[in-house]
Amino acid sequence: MVVEATQPIVPMAAGANSPEANAPTALAEPRRNTGVGLPTAEVPAKPLPLGFHPRVEAGVHESGWPLEITCDRDGGTMVFVPGGEFTRGRDDGRAEERPAHKVNLSPYYIDQHEVTANQFALFRPGGSGQGDRPAVQVSLADARAYAEWAGKAIPSEAQWEKAARTSDGRDHPWGNSPAKWDKPRMLRQIDPVMSFGMDLSPYGVFDLAGNAWEWTNDWFDTKAYTGLKGRVPTNPTGPPQGKGRLPEIVIKGGSKDWDASWRSGMRPEARLPHLGFRCVLNVEAGTAPAPASGPHGSQPPSGKVVF
């Protein structure tokens, strides 16, 4: 069963967890000219939620949403992913990736790269990581707490995968050809974010094929796609609850072949040296992923995170 998000987006007030509750805590990242971009249009830019500002030099999408924005709280760049259908899963993949099926998503923004150790330290000081590398050894609760602090959300599995595969169903963020890295890269290898220019989707999103494995917000079920062929769910948020005695959450970005359709499960409390996350910003009604329910909830644990 796939749950479809129907709750409206509620404008964020300037409360304790709002990005506007205090002065901005981070300088904006320098803009990276990726050489890719979406169609620009001479239309008025739509207003963004509090705590987010457009990168004017990047232009505006024909829908009115700025193509790139900055989050005040962590200084990070987010890139626009247009709404519409895309192909999730693959018919020739592993059992849990089958069958390929269409999914319809509302527009949203996604972090251009994984949340870094430097960014995470703005939220929870005391980590011992390397600043421009992904924040790792982060549980799902840690990731959700960071996202709430920044005014963002953890992506649904579908949002993560569309950012990598776009609407043309490509196998990898760069297309269907095998990876040709310009320097050594292995599975579970953690590098500074955006180190591999080839690992870039047409939306301008880095590191969706490799670098850290990444949390999503959906419960994992090996049979979650069964029965979806021929249907087009809108803004799906995965099964309503986890399966089995030890339920798991979908993680993405861990394929030995760098496939964007790869999916696996991970216990929500897991902290691994190659597991991190990135965030999304939902900007239209119906796009917010419903928080995964279950025994672990969404409350962050106490204690220090070690990167």
Side-chain angles (χ1 to χ4, degrees), residues 13-306:
N17 293 319
S18 166
E20 293 288 306
N22 301 294
T25 50
L27 294 176
E29 292 178 327
R31 182 167 185 261
R32 184 180 179 108
N33 189 351
T34 62
V36 301
L38 300 172
T40 59
E42 295 295 328
V43 297
K46 293 181 178 178
L48 294 166
L50 295 176
F52 298 87
H53 294 90
R55 287 185 176 264
V56 177
E57 64 272 30
V60 177
H61 185 257
E62 56 194 15
S63 65
W65 292 110
L67 288 173
E68 294 181 10
I69 63 175
T70 298
C71 172
D72 287 347
R73 270 286 171 93
D74 62 15
T77 299
M78 305 188 80
V79 298
F80 181 67
V81 180
E85 292 184 7
F86 84 104
T87 299
R88 182 174 69 168
R90 54 190 297 174
D91 290 327
D92 59 349
R94 301 188 306 169
E96 58 268 29
E97 299 171 32
R98 303 197 300 260
H101 56 283
K102 295 289 186 181
V103 170
N104 183 54
L105 292 179
S106 299
Y108 60 98
Y109 289 90
I110 190 166
D111 286 340
Q112 189 172 51
H113 54 73
E114 303 102 325
V115 172
T116 66
N118 274 340
Q119 289 175 315
F120 200 92
L122 293 171
F123 159 67
R124 187 177 293 170
S128 57
Q130 302 177 60
D132 58 352
R133 285 172 163 77
V136 293
Q137 296 193 18
V138 175
S139 71
L140 178 62
D142 295 325
R144 285 179 176 164
Y146 176 96
E148 181 181 8
W149 166 81
K152 308 179 189 180
I154 301 302
S156 68
E157 178 182 0
Q159 286 177 319
W160 193 101
E161 191 162 330
K162 183 176 183 181
R165 303 186 71 184
T166 75
S167 58
D168 63 15
R170 59 187 55 209
D171 294 335
H172 316 288
W174 57 87
N176 295 319
S177 60
K180 295 181 180 178
W181 308 124
D182 56 3
K183 50 191 169 184
R185 192 181 209 190
M186 304 294 291
L187 183 66
R188 302 182 183 181
Q189 176 178 318
I190 302 298
D191 294 284
V193 296
M194 305 188 293
S195 289
F196 292 84
M198 186 178 187
D199 193 354
L200 174 68
S201 88
Y203 298 134
V205 190
F206 282 90
D207 298 336
L208 291 166
N211 222 359
W213 297 5
E214 298 181 31
W215 289 112
T216 75
N217 208 40
D218 294 7
W219 286 114
F220 179 68
D221 183 352
T222 58
K223 299 180 179 179
Y225 295 174
T226 303
L228 290 180
K229 197 173 186 71
R231 294 182 52 204
V232 185
T234 296
N235 299 321
T237 58
Q241 59 186 16
K243 299 293 182 179
R245 187 173 63 86
L246 298 174
E248 297 178 319
I249 295 289
V250 175
I251 57 168
K252 299 284 287 181
S255 168
K256 64 180 178 62
D257 297 315
W258 318 106
D259 294 333
S261 59
W262 181 91
R263 62 195 299 266
S264 190
M266 187 69 63
R267 294 280 290 147
E269 65 271 21
R271 298 175 185 272
L272 301 179
H274 52 275
L275 178 58
F277 70 104
R278 74 180 74 211
C279 302
V280 295
L281 175 67
N282 298 298
V283 290
E284 292 193 7
T287 62
S293 59
H296 304 285
S298 58
Q299 296 300 313
S302 58
K304 181 176 72 174
V305 175
V306 180

